[in-house]
């Protein structure tokens, strides 16, 4: 897991914990399975960090990526694909950092190599939560001047999924060494899913978050 996104986190303990969680999510294939559902990923991260003693919560918002004259919207009103919900959600930690683990749709509709996760410091100039310059030179901005009314509804809808996935994650924590040894001998192309997840977690959460773009060249799938 490329954890370069954590470089902006100045709190060393938080940076360490985020790196561990990101690595665990990579091992368990959570980014691939749930990365397109920001509601599940943000709620999972908030729960895990809260249990570690941080003040973590889920924040509804939307985001935009701007480059030259093009804008790609994430969760903005009117920019949702069929069967997907408007709105975006991130995890706010200690009212200082924004952590976004729900960027899976960007890898499908914007850039195949887009980061699984991003982090930035929260700005004080509401309604801009934060902004970050990407490696491509584009600017990603998280905003709260519009928050979809579907955010709270979708968080409630996904609660059961979050509980099941979190239970599997807890099982992994208790048997970390066994899973890591299994991964060492199973090879990189074989999935490593805890038995608890196979029985408790549905393949993919329903009603995932969607994004849509405008003006940028057609994204690759």
């Amino acid at each position: 897991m490329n954890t370069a996104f954590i470089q902006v986190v100045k709190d060393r303990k938080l940076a360490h914990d985020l790196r561990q969680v990101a690595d665990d999510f990579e091992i368990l294939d959570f980014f691939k399975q749930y990365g397109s559902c920001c509601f599940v990923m943000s709620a999972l991260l908030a729960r895990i960090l809260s249990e570690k003693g941080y003040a973590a919560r889920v924040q509804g918002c939307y985001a935009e990526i701007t480059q030259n004259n093009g804008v790609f919207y994430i969760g903005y009103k009117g920019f949702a694909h069929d069967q997907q919900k408007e709105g975006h959600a991130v995890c706010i930690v200690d009212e200082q950092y924004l952590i976004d683990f729900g960027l899976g749709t960007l890898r499908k509709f914007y850039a195949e190599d887009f980061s699984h996760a991003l982090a930035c410091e929260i700005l004080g100039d509401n309604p801009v939560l934060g902004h970050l310059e990407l490696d491509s030179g584009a600017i990603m901005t998280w905003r709260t001047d519009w928050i979809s009314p579907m955010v709270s509804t979708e968080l409630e809808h996904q609660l059961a999924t979050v509980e099941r996935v979190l239970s599997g994650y807890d099982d992994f924590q208790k048997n970390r060494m066994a899973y890591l040894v299994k991964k060492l001998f199973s090879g990189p192309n074989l999935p490593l899913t805890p038995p608890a997840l196979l029985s408790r977690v549905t393949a993919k959460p329903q009603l995932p978050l969607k994004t849509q773009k405008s003006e940028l060249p057609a994204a690759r799938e």
Side-chain angles (χ1 to χ4, degrees), residues 101-166:
F101 273 24
L103 301 171
T105 52
L106 289 174
R107 295 174 65 86
K108 182 176 181 179
F109 298 111
Y110 180 72
E112 293 177 350
D113 60 348
F114 201 88
S115 176
H116 286 293
L118 292 174
C120 73
E121 291 192 76
I122 294 176
L123 300 177
D125 51 346
N126 190 54
V128 176
L129 271 176
H131 62 78
L132 194 65
E133 182 174 349
L134 306 177
D135 291 340
S136 64
I139 301 295
M140 184 162 179
T141 305
W142 291 266
R143 303 179 60 93
T144 58
D145 49 322
W146 180 82
I147 299 176
S148 170
M150 292 303 300
V151 170
S152 58
T153 301
E154 191 64 12
L155 284 170
E156 292 179 5
H157 176 81
Q158 298 290 358
L159 182 59
T161 298
V162 170
E163 293 294 339
R164 289 193 295 267
V165 178
L166 188 61

Side-chain angles (χ1 to χ4, degrees), residues 49-62:
L49 293 178
S50 293
E51 291 176 0
K52 291 180 179 293
Y54 298 98
R57 62 181 178 84
V58 178
Q59 172 67 55
C61 62
Y62 73 95

Side-chain angles (χ1 to χ4, degrees), residues 66-217:
T66 56
Q67 188 169 29
N68 300 324
N69 294 322
V71 182
F72 188 105
Y73 289 105
I74 304 103
Y76 190 49
K77 57 182 175 181
F79 288 87
H81 295 282
D82 292 340
Q83 299 182 346
Q84 290 188 322
K85 298 295 182 180
E86 293 179 342
H88 189 55
V90 297
C91 180
I92 302 298
V93 186
D94 291 342
E95 300 303 321
Q96 185 175 1
Y97 293 104
L98 177 158
I99 314 296
D100 196 338
F101 273 24
L103 301 171
T105 52
L106 289 174
R107 295 174 65 86
K108 182 176 181 179
F109 298 111
Y110 180 72
E112 293 177 350
D113 60 348
F114 201 88
S115 176
H116 286 293
L118 292 174
C120 73
E121 291 192 76
I122 294 176
L123 300 177
D125 51 346
N126 190 54
V128 176
L129 271 176
H131 62 78
L132 194 65
E133 182 174 349
L134 306 177
D135 291 340
S136 64
I139 301 295
M140 184 162 179
T141 305
W142 291 266
R143 303 179 60 93
T144 58
D145 49 322
W146 180 82
I147 299 176
S148 170
M150 292 303 300
V151 170
S152 58
T153 301
E154 191 64 12
L155 284 170
E156 292 179 5
H157 176 81
Q158 298 290 358
L159 182 59
T161 298
V162 170
E163 293 294 339
R164 289 193 295 267
V165 178
L166 188 61
S167 179
Y169 180 79
D170 289 341
D171 286 343
F172 167 74
Q173 296 298 308
K174 297 174 184 177
N175 301 280
R176 176 185 297 275
M177 185 58 66
Y179 290 124
L180 293 179
V181 170
K182 182 178 178 181
K183 181 181 181 182
L184 180 64
F185 290 99
S186 64
N189 296 322
L190 296 178
L192 180 67
T193 305
L197 282 179
L198 291 175
S199 62
R200 297 175 185 170
V201 183
T202 55
K204 287 186 178 180
Q206 297 179 346
L207 299 176
L209 176 68
K210 284 282 186 176
T211 63
Q212 189 168 335
K213 64 178 181 179
S214 65
E215 300 185 10
L216 287 179

Side-chain angles (χ1 to χ4, degrees), residues 22-37:
D23 285 342
D24 289 348
F25 277 26
E26 181 76 6
I27 291 171
L28 295 172
D29 216 20
F30 284 0
F31 286 110
K32 183 177 180 180
Q33 294 185 63
Y34 308 107
S36 295
C37 188

